[in-house]
Amino acid sequence: QLQLVESGGGLVQPGGSLRLSCAASRFTLRYYAIAWFRQAPGKEREGVSCITSTGGSIKSADSVKGRFTISRDNAKNTVYLQMNSLKPEDTAVYYCAAVNCAYYKDYNSATSWGQGTQVTVSS
């Protein structure tokens, strides 16, 4: 089974940037579409952005368009989420998972979840 590991979270001030990484172990990531999800305290997990296996198609939630960019480097077996202009409301645990990008907004459709990485945006 595909195993994913997220990293790159931390504490950042509003307006700052972070880059999250989602690395695969045991299996190659190149055959999977991968999405980033996030879950804030007391809220449901939500899809943030998704990239197809070749990187040819990307979908993003309206709340992050123009600020977050998903990308992948299949040679490094890694998917990234570049987050710019961060806001306090972006504070959440961020997860990556394998999913069909057509359904990335439904976290129940995702599999092979990582353990998550905490992102805190605060002054």
Side-chain angles (χ1 to χ4, degrees):
Q1 183 180 354
L2 182 67
Q3 293 181 336
L4 301 174
V5 179
E6 303 93 338
S7 62
L11 173 64
V12 63
Q13 292 186 341
S17 298
L18 283 174
R19 188 178 80 158
L20 305 183
S21 297
C22 171
S25 61
R26 300 185 63 194
F27 294 94
T28 180
L29 202 59
R30 69 175 63 234
Y31 303 116
Y32 296 87
I34 299 294
W36 284 97
F37 297 81
R38 65 186 181 186
Q39 188 166 19
K43 294 190 176 181
E44 193 169 80
R45 193 169 297 189
E46 62 173 348
V48 173
S49 191
C50 190
I51 187 167
T52 54
S53 59
T54 62
S57 180
I58 289 173
K59 296 180 182 287
S60 294
D62 288 344
S63 59
V64 305
K65 281 181 180 177
R67 301 189 299 122
F68 291 10
T69 302
I70 191 170
S71 64
R72 66 191 301 151
D73 185 339
N74 284 340
K76 294 184 178 180
N77 227 21
T78 303
V79 171
Y80 303 99
L81 185 68
Q82 178 67 45
M83 306 187 296
N84 299 328
S85 302
L86 282 161
K87 304 175 181 180
E89 51 263 44
D90 295 318
T91 295
V93 179
Y94 283 71
Y95 301 88
C96 61
V99 68
N100 182 329
C101 284
Y103 308 112
Y104 83 100
K105 290 186 178 181
D106 178 8
Y107 68 89
N108 289 306
S109 69
T111 62
S112 303
W113 291 92
Q115 84 290 347
T117 186
Q118 176 71 48
V119 172
T120 302
V121 184
S122 175
S123 55

